[in-house]
């Protein structure tokens, strides 16, 4: 079980960080909203990456990590694992609020503007803000990888009576 959870957690992290890198590249290549056809195309691609790669990878990483902490007593006593859990929650929250939601919404709105259903002037074009959010969340995700590999002795929590052999 431990190896399976480690494998799933690692695969999720690879997909998550790869999706963020892909989104950063797409954001840097996205034309301004006044070039509506290209803008809508790139926003649709970003919405697809956020929906089909970023979100499942985020869920897999989080669930596998939580299950690993639940099943492995050594992780419950290690301070690095708790720091990793806290920063993982930041990645999860930032991923939903700063990446997933805005990218899906802007993809939907740009497609609607391309069809003539809404005024193209209402498109946000907040590319720099989204790029900055991605860089911050990517940096926190890299910190999580470093913590998982290096496993520093940040804080050693006392063993609970439940985890001690009888």
């Amino acid at each position: 079980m431990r190896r399976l959870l480690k494998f799933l957690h690692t695969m999720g992290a690879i997909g998550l960080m790869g999706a963020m890198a892909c989104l950063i590249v797409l954001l840097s290549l996205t034309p301004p909203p006044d070039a509506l056809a290209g803008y809508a195309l790139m926003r649709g691609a970003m919405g697809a990456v956020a929906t089909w790669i970023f979100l499942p990878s985020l869920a897999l990483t989080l669930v596998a990590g939580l299950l690993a902490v639940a099943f492995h007593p050594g992780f419950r006593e290690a301070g690095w694992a708790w720091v990793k859990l806290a920063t993982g929650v930041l990645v999860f929250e930032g991923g939903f609020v700063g990446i997933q939601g805005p990218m899906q919404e802007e993809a939907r709105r740009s497609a609607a503007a391309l069809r003539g259903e809404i005024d193209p002037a209402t498109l946000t074009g907040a590319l720099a803000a989204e790029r900055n959010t991605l860089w911050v969340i990517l940096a926190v995700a890299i910190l999580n990888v470093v913590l998982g590999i290096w496993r520093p002795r940040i804080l050693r929590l006392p063993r609970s009576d439940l985890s001690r052999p009888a």
Side-chain angles (χ1 to χ4, degrees), residues 2 5 66-82 156-165:
R2 182 174 178 224
L5 290 174
L66 289 173
L67 288 174
V69 169
F71 289 134
H72 192 273
F75 290 163
R76 290 192 299 271
E77 299 165 6
W80 65 266
W82 289 102
R156 196 74 177 163
L157 301 175
R159 294 184 77 164
S160 69
D161 289 334
L162 296 176
S163 63
R164 289 188 184 144

Side-chain angles (χ1 to χ4, degrees), residues 39-155:
Y39 182 79
L41 178 67
M42 292 301 274
R43 284 308 203 158
M46 284 186 270
V49 169
T51 300
W52 298 108
I53 300 172
F54 179 81
L55 185 62
S57 297
L58 179 64
L60 180 62
T61 305
L62 187 65
V63 170
L66 289 173
L67 288 174
V69 169
F71 289 134
H72 192 273
F75 290 163
R76 290 192 299 271
E77 299 165 6
W80 65 266
W82 289 102
V83 172
K84 190 170 157 105
L85 176 65
T87 55
V89 169
L90 291 176
V91 170
F92 180 74
E93 180 69 24
F96 269 114
V97 173
I99 297 173
Q100 182 71 23
M103 290 206 172
Q104 285 181 332
E105 179 62 20
E106 193 66 7
R108 185 193 63 75
R109 291 179 47 74
S110 63
L114 192 59
R115 291 188 304 267
E117 296 171 3
I118 65 170
D119 182 11
T122 63
L123 297 174
T124 63
L127 303 174
E130 291 177 20
R131 189 177 316 116
N132 293 340
T133 300
L134 276 164
W135 277 114
V136 169
I137 294 172
L138 184 58
V140 175
I142 291 170
L143 173 67
N144 276 345
V145 171
V146 169
L147 286 171
I149 293 171
W150 182 40
R151 297 181 177 189
R153 293 190 180 255
I154 297 171
L155 170 69

